[in-house]
Amino acid sequence: MERPTSEKLFLEAQRHIPGGVSSPVRAFRAVGGTPPFLVRGEGAYVWDADGNRYLDYVLSWGPLILGHAHPEVVARVKEVAERGLTFGAPHPLEAELAQAVKRAFPQVELVRFVNSGTEATMSALRLARGYTGRKYIVKFRGNYHGHADGLLVEAGSGALTLGVPSSAGVPQEYARLTLVLEYNDPEALRALLKERGEEIAAIIFEPVVGNAGVLVPTEDFLKALHEAKDYGVLLIADEVMTGFRLSFGGATERFGLKPDLVTLGKVLGGGLPAAAYGGRREVMEQVAPLGPVYQAGTLSGNPLAMAAGLATLEILEKNPDYYARLEAVGAKLEAGLEEVLSRKGIPHAVNRVGSMLTVFFTEGPVRTFAEAKRTDTELFKRFFHGLLDRGVYWPPSNFEAAFLSILHGEEEVAMTLEALEKAL
């Protein structure tokens, strides 16, 4: 495919925006080349500024479970927009969307809306510290919870070491309040809890990891996470990516989790910026104006995002069969990828949960971040561009999940596998 208009737009954007993008992975640094500038989306497809059509497995990094420009969602947003874009005041749709969240996540008694997943996780951790009076938090390597300072950390030399900054601008003193462990290592978690459990305010985790590629939790790891409650540690399930995607009640419902707090985003906003954190009443009542934990936002709960989110959740709630459809199409795509790559003799592991999927170019199984990092990123670059040049838009990083919408069907799976055959 030729993309001269996208190339011109990218050069112009780089004159005014760092790297020409508003979020780093969009710059295609991991795969090389020029990103297509997308100007239209419909269903499972997007079109770039040059008129090229692509089958979309990025779906705005997960929110568009109903596909692009779903007519009911668009109509609801238009209807609300005609009455005013934002007020900075209470709006009826906030409580309606909060009720929908509570129906999906019954353990959530109070919800606070924010604008991004980063705000949700940052606020949940502040709340956990305020509620417990403790300062340390635990995260896992390969789990991404947004770009708040205390979460941009990596593990030190040992499994139980304090975090060290993984980004310039993050003070070491702050990063050291974050303890970093390996995902899917229950014994390391148990050892840390035994040693320092009473110092830890919260453990934050992705129930299914999406930003190291898809990593699936083991049963023993989930059990160890819940044992943290015995030490007075709050458990925060970061469902920004998995909420409403893996089931209506997210990974919490799918795996039978019992978190104290849940963070949500992506699907929650139906394609517009919206996120939330919520949980037990006694914890959430520590948030201002009821309690001493401060958090605020001018556009939090704005009518447009609430309308798009509410329309999306209502459609999903009325059509529970959508999740069976996503599971079936996801399984068909997984099996097809496995068959083609195996027949070509290419080492690989396909990790999938529901409508989230990653192809790693390494021998499996891939359960931890260390194992995910063994993937052949040079081979992935060729895989990515081979698909892109044949009209299939895969996430431009081997450490990102691909997503399906309800409008991805057998025809789209066949198109993807045909493109892969030709690319290989």
Side-chain angles (χ1 to χ4, degrees), residues 253-423:
E253 175 186 314
R254 185 164 182 141
F255 294 111
L257 307 179
K258 297 181 179 178
D260 299 287
L261 292 170
V262 176
T263 60
L264 299 165
K266 295 189 184 288
V267 174
L268 176 70
L272 291 182
Y277 62 103
R280 291 192 285 120
R281 180 176 298 275
E282 64 180 291
V283 180
M284 291 298 295
E285 284 182 342
Q286 295 299 303
V287 178
L290 296 181
V293 177
Y294 191 75
Q295 177 268 313
T298 298
L299 293 174
S300 295
N302 74 82
L304 297 189
M306 298 296 97
L310 187 58
T312 300
L313 297 198
E314 286 176 352
I315 292 167
L316 292 172
E317 195 171 10
K318 292 175 183 175
N319 296 276
D321 59 304
Y322 281 175
Y323 291 101
R325 183 190 305 181
L326 289 166
E327 186 71 40
V329 176
K332 188 174 288 288
L333 177 61
E334 176 188 7
L337 292 167
E338 290 269 14
E339 192 277 326
V340 173
L341 293 168
S342 295
R343 179 159 39 83
K344 298 289 186 180
I346 296 174
H348 67 278
V350 181
N351 282 10
R352 182 186 66 86
V353 179
S355 57
M356 295 172 58
L357 177 147
T358 297
V359 179
F360 294 104
F361 291 98
T362 181
E363 296 289 351
V366 176
R367 299 191 185 97
T368 68
F369 185 49
E371 291 168 346
K373 287 176 70 176
R374 296 199 308 251
T375 190
D376 185 337
T377 53
E378 290 302 315
L379 184 55
F380 174 80
K381 291 179 186 179
R382 293 160 61 191
F383 164 85
F384 170 80
H385 282 289
L387 292 182
L388 187 69
D389 288 341
R390 291 163 178 82
V392 177
Y393 185 37
W394 202 262
S397 166
N398 206 172
F399 302 104
E400 298 281 358
F403 298 97
L404 297 165
S405 77
I406 61 166
L407 297 176
H408 286 70
E410 292 191 9
E411 180 180 339
E412 284 69 31
V413 171
M415 175 183 172
T416 305
L417 299 178
E418 181 181 355
L420 178 59
E421 288 268 12
K422 292 179 178 177

Side-chain angles (χ1 to χ4, degrees), residues 11-272:
L11 287 172
E12 180 65 16
Q14 291 175 77
R15 295 180 55 214
H16 313 291
I17 304 169
V21 295
S22 296
S23 191
V25 73
R26 302 177 194 174
F28 275 32
R29 295 291 177 91
V31 292
T34 298
F37 274 55
L38 303 182
V39 296
R40 184 166 76 89
E42 182 180 334
Y45 296 88
V46 289
W47 285 260
D48 67 17
D50 292 282
N52 299 308
R53 188 187 81 156
Y54 306 88
L55 170 57
D56 186 12
Y57 284 103
V58 179
L59 294 172
S60 194
W61 305 98
L64 301 177
I65 194 169
L66 301 179
H68 290 273
H70 190 285
E72 291 182 49
V73 177
V74 171
R76 188 79 65 90
V77 172
K78 284 182 177 178
E79 177 188 346
V80 171
E82 288 173 353
R83 301 190 189 123
L85 300 181
T86 183
F87 303 107
H91 190 278
L93 290 180
E94 291 176 83
E96 289 187 46
L97 185 56
Q99 290 175 67
V101 170
K102 290 171 64 176
R103 289 195 299 273
F105 293 84
Q107 77 280 19
V108 170
E109 296 178 303
L110 291 175
V111 182
R112 170 60 65 85
F113 291 111
V114 292
N115 297 290
S116 69
T118 292
E119 283 186 65
T121 56
M122 175 183 71
S123 303
L125 289 171
R126 181 184 301 153
L127 173 57
R129 284 175 164 136
Y131 177 77
T132 62
R134 303 173 183 180
K135 62 182 180 180
Y136 290 101
I137 63 167
V138 174
K139 75 176 291 287
F140 299 96
R141 292 186 71 219
N143 284 213
Y144 179 70
H145 306 290
H147 58 89
D149 284 357
L151 294 168
L152 290 177
V153 299
E154 289 289 346
S157 58
L160 302 183
T161 56
L162 303 181
V164 294
S166 60
S167 168
V170 177
Q172 278 196 345
E173 296 84 354
Y174 190 27
R176 287 172 181 159
L177 297 177
T178 302
L179 310 175
V180 186
L181 296 175
E182 194 75 48
Y183 186 82
N184 270 339
D185 187 344
E187 292 313 312
L189 176 55
R190 289 184 174 111
L192 176 60
L193 289 170
K194 185 175 181 180
E195 179 185 339
R196 306 189 61 176
E198 294 182 359
E199 300 177 70
I200 297 168
I203 296 173
I204 188 167
F205 70 104
E206 285 187 272
V208 172
V209 180
N211 283 106
V214 172
L215 300 179
V216 186
T218 64
E219 188 174 331
D220 195 32
F221 179 63
L222 294 178
K223 181 180 178 183
L225 283 168
H226 287 81
E227 290 168 10
K229 291 171 173 284
D230 297 338
Y231 298 86
V233 178
L234 296 187
L235 197 58
I236 304 174
D238 182 355
E239 292 232 43
V240 167
M241 191 175 291
T242 57
F244 310 106
R245 175 162 279 283
L246 298 186
S247 69
F248 188 62
T252 295
E253 175 186 314
R254 185 164 182 141
F255 294 111
L257 307 179
K258 297 181 179 178
D260 299 287
L261 292 170
V262 176
T263 60
L264 299 165
K266 295 189 184 288
V267 174
L268 176 70
L272 291 182

